[in-house]
Amino acid sequence: MYFYWGDFYYFLILIVPVLILSIAAQIMMETTYKKYSNVKNRRGLSGAVVARTILDSKGLTDVRIEMVNGRLTDHFDPRDNVVRLSEGNYNGTTISAVGVAAHEVGHAIQYAEHYAPIKLRAAVIPATRFGSWFYFPLFLLGILFQMPTLAYIGVGLFAMIAIFQLITLPVEFNASNRAIKILNKDFVLDADEVSGAKKVLTAAAMTYVAALLMSIVQIIRLVLIVRRND
């Protein structure tokens, strides 16, 4: 009975606050992005133009810029050496579009400058994928056949996801900081516009924080289940 009450206590103390934080972070990201997607920058610069200008100024003329379908599907692909911007941010001349474009260019600069955390993140991707595929089957088999060691191996594999998310935090915050500094220093945006772009990128970064916290409480949950069935 102790562990059942313990699980209930865990649910109230850990899961509910983190779930609320995750929802709040998502809402903040959506509302902030939408707000500044309706505010055009005074110079009329599109996300694609800003991205190209920053890349060229850093000597990264070999990095391509492409438009991709979807909303907020923006990313930098180091394998193809290309910054991909969603249609709204590629053509858009809003504060949000420019901020997101500069952020993705920040990732390209990280690779060019051999920024250690982004190299580490790339290195753990295979282990993270392996963990996401096999953690639950191993965990479930360990519980069903009362093999706690196997179940804990499953928990360990799931922990790889949390480790990846932890490494992702400095990568994302650094890319955003680079973007804000460039937008401000190179006078791409005016001071009040830079403030808006910073709000957009900060809101987006908080979703990564919330995801990490959710993974951590999930690890605790899995451990409680193993202990209860041990």
Side-chain angles (χ1 to χ4, degrees):
M1 181 64 69
Y2 168 78
F3 287 113
Y4 287 101
W5 279 107
D7 287 354
F8 180 71
Y9 183 76
Y10 155 83
F11 180 79
L12 291 178
I13 299 301
L14 294 179
I15 287 292
V16 172
V18 173
L19 184 59
I20 292 173
L21 175 63
S22 297
I23 295 173
Q26 190 65 33
I27 292 174
M28 182 174 70
M29 190 273 288
E30 291 287 345
T31 55
T32 306
Y33 178 80
K34 182 178 180 180
K35 175 182 177 179
Y36 288 100
S37 289
N38 293 317
V39 181
K40 294 185 179 298
N41 67 79
R42 296 185 182 92
R43 292 173 177 79
L45 301 172
S46 69
V49 168
V50 169
R52 184 74 273 158
T53 300
I54 296 174
L55 287 169
D56 290 348
S57 70
K58 297 295 182 179
L60 301 178
T61 56
D62 58 326
V63 178
R64 306 192 317 278
I65 302 172
E66 296 178 353
M67 184 172 66
V68 292
N69 294 326
R71 180 176 178 273
L72 292 176
T73 51
D74 314 81
H75 63 280
F76 171 65
D77 187 343
R79 295 168 300 180
D80 294 333
N81 204 30
V82 56
V83 171
R84 296 192 174 99
L85 301 176
S86 57
E87 184 176 359
N89 291 330
Y90 185 95
N91 294 314
T93 58
T94 65
I95 303 298
S96 289
V98 170
V100 172
H103 173 87
E104 298 307 331
V105 167
H107 287 310
I109 297 173
Q110 287 174 336
Y111 272 97
E113 296 182 355
H114 305 289
Y115 179 62
I118 203 167
K119 295 291 186 179
L120 180 59
R121 186 178 72 167
V124 302
I125 286 177
T128 303
R129 289 175 178 169
F130 182 84
S132 65
W133 292 335
F134 293 105
Y135 90 87
F136 187 72
L138 292 177
F139 176 80
L140 184 60
L141 288 172
I143 295 299
L144 291 176
F145 293 100
Q146 295 186 330
M147 300 171 63
T149 299
L150 186 61
Y152 278 123
I153 291 174
V155 176
L157 290 177
F158 182 83
M160 291 302 304
I161 299 173
I163 291 173
F164 175 81
Q165 292 170 328
L166 179 62
I167 298 171
T168 293
L169 288 185
V171 171
E172 294 299 327
F173 278 104
N174 179 266
S176 292
N177 288 337
R178 289 172 186 265
I180 295 304
K181 288 180 180 179
I182 291 171
L183 293 176
N184 188 45
K185 180 180 178 181
D186 296 347
F187 302 103
V188 177
L189 298 178
D190 293 338
D192 60 323
E193 295 176 323
V194 171
S195 176
K198 185 176 182 179
K199 290 177 182 178
V200 171
L201 298 182
T202 299
M206 289 306 299
T207 62
Y208 290 98
V209 174
L212 172 61
L213 292 177
M214 185 61 74
S215 292
I216 291 173
V217 295
Q218 177 64 2
I219 291 171
I220 298 173
R221 171 65 173 168
L222 294 175
V223 170
L224 284 175
I225 293 174
V226 177
R227 289 180 58 189
R228 190 177 65 196
N229 288 272
D230 191 356

